[in-house]
Amino acid sequence: MRPAAHAEPFPGLDAALKELRCSLEGIVDSSSLARALHSSDASNYRVTPEIVIMPRHRDDAITAVTVAQNHGIPITARGGGTSCARNAIGPGMIIDFSRFMSRIISIDPASRSAVVEPGVILSDLQKAAAPYGMRFGPDPSTATRCTIGGMIGNNACGPHGLSYGRTADNVRSMTWLTGTGEIITAGAGPEALDAVPGLRNFVSENMAVLRTDFGRFGRQISG
């Protein structure tokens, strides 16, 4: 008997690749080299993706997520690949924001805030903020490589976290793209309950657990 043909992990992969290559201005790469380079991070794990996307701008990211959703392909967002817990690797599609979406859009000394894209390297932001006497609080040991988006996803802190707080303590608001293609902007505080669909009901239904269990130790949160 002949051995069974190797089944594609995601049946819609070929159609998704064709659609992405026609739609994106950024890089769409399914080569063995790109897949190998994105199959590991700073952890001991290895997971080989099928597609690597490097979006050139936010519209590329939105299109990539929409295509992946339509074809049943899982997504993993990736920054500098410095995670020690396999947060930056996964099957399906890797969306690597470090190549193009790495702009520091603005720094405002008056409000002591900065607007950045997710692929900005932490040390680049620190250098840009230093002339204004400012810094982004957390400083993990991977500061020359890790991205702000990855720090948000991991709630990074570093040795000065006790003085300046974790990443969650230093982010005023975020605009993010959900896995279902929704774009949400929300900040800290009660306003976020209405900005994030379903969050107010979730909090209301789980108030007892949130009041008694949440916050019992310092870093009980991730992005």
Side-chain angles (χ1 to χ4, degrees):
M1 296 179 62
R2 289 184 177 181
H6 177 69
E8 287 290 340
F10 307 105
L13 184 62
D14 289 341
L17 273 168
K18 183 177 180 180
E19 191 173 342
L20 288 165
R21 285 172 176 149
C22 291
S23 304
L24 268 60
E25 294 182 20
I27 294 174
V28 180
D29 200 338
S30 60
S31 68
S32 57
L33 175 59
R35 295 169 62 214
L37 289 173
H38 289 79
S39 67
S40 60
D41 52 14
S43 70
N44 291 324
Y45 298 96
R46 182 180 175 87
V47 179
T48 304
E50 299 297 323
I51 311 172
V52 176
I53 302 294
M54 299 180 189
R56 194 170 289 275
H57 43 64
R58 112 182 211 161
D59 287 345
D60 272 356
I62 294 170
T63 300
V65 168
T66 301
V67 171
Q69 182 185 24
N70 291 341
H71 293 280
I73 299 172
I75 301 167
T76 301
R78 182 181 176 100
T82 60
S83 170
C84 295
R86 67 159 286 182
N87 294 331
I89 59 176
M93 179 188 293
I94 295 286
I95 303 181
D96 184 343
F97 291 94
S98 65
R99 178 69 176 272
F100 298 118
M101 295 189 66
S102 55
R103 294 185 306 146
I104 299 173
I105 297 171
S106 65
I107 296 179
D108 183 0
S111 63
R112 303 190 66 79
S113 64
V115 179
V116 303
E117 291 183 325
V120 169
I121 301 295
L122 173 60
S123 60
D124 291 342
L125 177 59
Q126 304 291 40
K127 290 175 185 176
Y132 303 101
M134 299 189 300
R135 57 166 289 130
F136 189 72
D139 59 345
S141 59
T142 55
T144 58
R145 305 175 300 285
C146 68
T147 64
I148 298 297
M151 292 178 66
I152 291 172
N154 194 47
N155 195 27
C157 48
H160 287 91
L162 291 176
S163 299
Y164 297 106
R166 306 152 297 175
T167 299
D169 301 316
N170 287 269
V171 175
R172 294 188 179 180
S173 70
M174 293 189 298
T175 297
W176 77 92
L177 176 65
T178 71
T180 57
E182 296 175 275
I183 299 174
I184 298 172
T185 297
E191 297 82 4
L193 293 177
D194 295 316
V196 181
L199 183 57
R200 182 175 291 278
N201 287 339
F202 176 84
V203 170
S204 177
E205 293 168 1
N206 296 275
M207 185 61 73
V209 175
L210 292 172
R211 282 177 171 169
T212 56
D213 288 359
F214 195 74
R216 286 186 298 156
F217 51 93
R219 205 174 168 211
Q220 194 174 348
I221 183 175
S222 64

